[in-house]
Amino acid sequence: MHEIELKLQIPEQKRAALIKAFETKTTRYIDLHARYFDTADSKLAAHHIAIRIRKEGSVWIQTLKGAGENHLQRYEHEVNLGEADQAPELDLSVYEQEPHARQLLKKALGDDLGALTLKFETIVQRAYRIVQLNDSKIEVCLDRGVVQDTDEKREIFEIEFELQQGKVSDLIQLTQQWVKKYHIWIDVRSKAERGNLLAQHLLVSPATTASSAKYDKKAQPEVILKSLIAAGLRHALPNLAAIADQVAESEHYYQAYLALRQLNSSLQLFQDFAPTKLLEHIAHFQQMLKTVHQAYVATTLYPAILLLTEQADPVHLDLSHANHLFTQTGSTLLILDLLAFSLDETETEPQSKVKNSVKKQFKQQIALFNKDLKQFAQLNSGEKCQTLSHIQSWGDALALCTPFTMKKHLALYVQLQPELNESFDLWIAQQYATSYLTSPEQQFFVLGWLANQIPQQQAQLEVTFKKLQKKMDA
């Protein structure tokens, strides 16, 4: 079977209020003590699989979990091992008659099923109750406790919304109500992932990279857009969770930036078919995109510049604006709206073929592209950044819709992209050095280095633009 749930983190200042919200006559409590198993080199975790034996009250339940098609859905197989004072042994024979479970284990472990050992435990008190919304039943759980191994403990304090019966849209609607009231924020990392990080003495998993969006070019445009949004969310959500939890590394900011760019370009390209509710988020989307790009530049380019200028002191960056942006209520509601749209299975009325609409959008993008190229030399640095952002959006749209695009345009963008990205990063670095570098001395060296590099980079880019302009007009 598959479980459908949303997990969210709770700001410290809202924890007391949220605990009070669970003090109702219908709330029930249960102690959960789970033991998680994996190989010494964490093969199950590498395949996004978790096996645990958990004591729920007086009963032990063995559970196998695997990744689902999206961040709301996970494969889950449970076996009741009965009551016992001591934890029973792990029993993998229960999966012999379960083809999907057997396939997951075979892929991760091969034939070495005996290599699993206890890696970590979670000890949690769960408060839970069932909420009825429309015709749906949703279990809301507040989990408080720790994840621990023999050396260390880390706190668990989170809330989960699990669909017991009914529609995903109701699950998301209820979650949005709690988001507005308690300012909770989405975190797709499971307890198993947190435990595996603890066992490996790490704070964060590697950044999640993009997976391709597969769709039939003859499909209805709304179906194609849903595929693009789902792919963008798979890419974005783990990286945004790391940023919001303030444990992100430079690559998390970069991958989040790429994912948000793809989502933004998807909505703009298919704006004729996107719900009005999503299009209303475009301004917020662009603010998220701008902020995460600045943070990426701050975590990569500034340290590199200071190293080149032989400044050996540690680099102190103020990333609070980027980190806090992804815990804000507006950002969480935006993500939930995107999830709701991408998972909506309601059949829509047949629409015109997507090809004509996409061609229209590309014509507009190409017109803007040509205008940008012609006037680039006369723009100030802020306008240049905006122009480069427009061209990146055009390139993203080309890459997203290769079945509908002209190969010569895609080839031109691929040719331009490395130089474009480098130029964009330099101008962003110059604009925001004083915002992200907390040391005046480091600001001085960074801005001095950029002042020497940018004129040369600009001249080179303008030559490239002139060459591309001739090709675009041909």
Side-chain angles (χ1 to χ4, degrees):
M1 63 173 290
H2 287 81
E3 63 175 2
I4 298 177
E5 69 176 22
L6 278 164
K7 186 189 303 292
L8 298 98
Q9 297 298 324
I10 307 161
E12 285 193 22
Q13 65 270 25
K14 291 293 181 179
R15 288 183 176 183
L18 208 142
I19 290 171
K20 189 173 182 180
F22 274 83
E23 296 174 352
T24 70
K25 293 180 179 178
T26 59
T27 299
R28 301 177 66 185
Y29 298 87
I30 188 169
D31 291 324
L32 304 173
H33 183 180
R35 296 157 59 85
Y36 286 80
F37 298 82
D38 205 337
T39 62
D41 55 354
S42 303
K43 288 181 179 176
L44 292 183
H47 287 80
H48 306 289
I49 299 168
I51 292 183
R52 74 180 182 217
I53 295 177
R54 186 168 76 178
K55 189 176 185 182
E56 302 181 7
S58 60
V59 176
W60 292 93
I61 304 291
Q62 181 172 309
T63 303
L64 168 66
K65 291 191 176 188
E69 295 180 357
N70 54 68
H71 284 297
L72 267 74
Q73 188 180 73
R74 298 201 78 195
Y75 170 78
E76 182 180 86
H77 178 274
E78 289 189 344
V79 179
N80 189 325
L81 301 180
E83 297 186 20
D85 293 332
Q86 300 297 320
E89 295 294 320
L90 187 67
D91 182 7
L92 298 183
S93 67
V94 301
Y95 306 120
E96 291 175 1
Q97 304 304 315
E98 295 292 334
H100 188 66
R102 195 169 64 249
Q103 181 183 3
L104 287 174
L105 291 174
K106 179 74 174 179
K107 184 177 180 181
L109 303 175
D111 296 322
D112 192 15
L113 299 183
L116 298 178
T117 59
L118 177 65
K119 294 297 290 284
F120 60 89
E121 300 176 276
T122 59
I123 301 173
V124 169
Q125 184 189 65
R126 168 168 289 179
Y128 65 99
R129 57 190 174 96
I130 301 295
V131 176
Q132 184 92 25
L133 182 62
N134 301 324
D135 294 325
S136 299
K137 291 183 178 179
I138 300 159
E139 184 178 68
V140 186
C141 305
L142 176 64
D143 288 348
R144 291 173 284 171
V146 296
V147 55
Q148 63 183 28
D149 63 6
T150 55
D151 300 321
E152 188 181 353
K153 291 182 181 181
R154 293 179 188 172
E155 183 185 37
I156 294 171
F157 203 122
E158 60 193 20
I159 187 167
E160 295 180 4
F161 299 80
E162 183 173 348
L163 186 64
Q164 301 287 308
Q165 173 187 313
K167 298 179 179 179
V168 172
S169 57
D170 291 333
L171 171 70
I172 291 178
Q173 182 182 340
L174 178 66
T175 306
Q176 288 178 321
Q177 293 173 5
W178 285 66
V179 168
K180 292 174 183 176
K181 190 169 184 178
Y182 300 106
H183 309 302
I184 51 182
W185 52 272
I186 293 177
D187 188 350
V188 296
R189 300 168 299 173
S190 65
K191 293 182 180 68
E193 180 178 349
R194 292 176 179 277
N196 281 307
L197 289 172
L198 179 99
Q200 298 173 68
H201 307 291
L202 299 172
L203 291 177
V204 66
S205 298
T208 297
T209 55
S211 59
S212 59
K214 298 178 181 179
Y215 59 84
D216 181 353
K217 70 176 184 178
K218 295 180 181 179
Q220 288 295 313
E222 187 174 294
V223 173
I224 296 176
L225 179 57
K226 286 178 180 178
S227 297
L228 295 174
I229 295 295
L233 289 172
R234 287 195 300 271
H235 188 188
L237 290 179
N239 297 307
L240 295 181
I243 293 170
D245 201 25
Q246 302 183 48
V247 293
E249 298 169 347
S250 177
E251 187 65 12
H252 294 92
Y253 290 102
Y254 181 59
Q255 293 299 329
Y257 169 56
L258 294 180
L260 290 173
R261 259 177 52 183
Q262 187 255 292
L263 287 166
N264 185 52
S265 296
S266 297
L267 281 177
Q268 292 191 334
L269 185 62
F270 285 83
Q271 59 187 271
D272 289 349
F273 312 104
T276 303
K277 190 174 185 180
L278 290 187
L279 296 178
E280 290 172 350
H281 287 302
I282 288 290
H284 191 97
F285 236 127
Q286 291 173 345
Q287 181 57 49
M288 292 170 69
L289 184 58
K290 179 180 178 181
T291 300
V292 80
H293 185 211
Q294 293 169 16
Y296 159 66
V297 168
T299 57
T300 52
L301 196 54
Y302 296 151
I305 292 171
L306 290 166
L307 190 63
L308 286 170
T309 55
E310 300 181 350
Q311 303 305 305
D313 292 339
V315 183
H316 299 292
L317 300 172
D318 181 4
L319 297 169
S320 59
H321 182 54
N323 296 338
H324 294 158
L325 177 62
F326 299 109
T327 66
Q328 287 179 4
T329 298
S331 299
T332 304
L333 293 175
L334 184 159
I335 291 168
L336 288 170
D337 281 341
L338 290 170
L339 280 168
F341 172 72
S342 68
L343 296 169
D344 184 10
E345 296 180 351
T346 304
E347 292 189 10
T348 57
E349 292 293 325
Q351 298 169 315
S352 60
K353 290 184 179 180
V354 69
K355 188 172 183 179
N356 293 335
S357 177
V358 168
K359 280 189 172 181
K360 182 187 78 173
Q361 295 297 334
F362 274 128
K363 279 186 178 180
Q364 293 176 357
Q365 290 274 10
I366 289 169
L368 182 60
F369 184 92
N370 276 309
K371 181 182 176 183
D372 288 340
L373 293 183
K374 289 175 181 176
Q375 65 181 11
F376 188 79
Q378 286 74 47
L379 303 178
N380 62 39
S381 60
E383 291 168 335
K384 283 186 168 72
C385 285
Q386 188 64 38
T387 293
L388 296 176
S389 179
H390 286 160
I391 298 172
Q392 282 186 332
S393 295
W394 178 80
D396 288 342
L398 286 169
L400 288 169
C401 291
T402 51
F404 311 109
T405 59
M406 295 177 67
K407 291 182 179 179
K408 75 168 188 177
H409 289 152
L410 184 57
L412 285 174
Y413 178 71
V414 170
Q415 177 186 344
L416 174 65
Q417 191 175 25
E419 190 176 335
L420 168 68
N421 291 343
E422 182 180 353
S423 300
F424 198 7
D425 289 351
L426 287 175
W427 273 303
I428 288 291
Q430 187 181 53
Q431 282 189 312
Y432 296 100
T434 56
S435 300
Y436 285 88
L437 285 166
T438 58
S439 163
E441 184 179 3
Q442 290 181 342
Q443 292 173 17
F444 173 80
F445 283 105
V446 164
L447 289 171
W449 186 90
L450 289 168
N452 289 327
Q453 294 295 315
I454 285 179
Q456 179 182 348
Q457 182 70 22
Q458 176 171 320
Q460 182 179 334
L461 191 63
E462 288 172 4
V463 170
T464 302
F465 276 1
K466 287 179 182 178
K467 291 179 180 178
L468 287 171
Q469 182 66 51
K470 291 180 181 179
K471 292 182 180 180
M472 292 292 291
D473 291 337

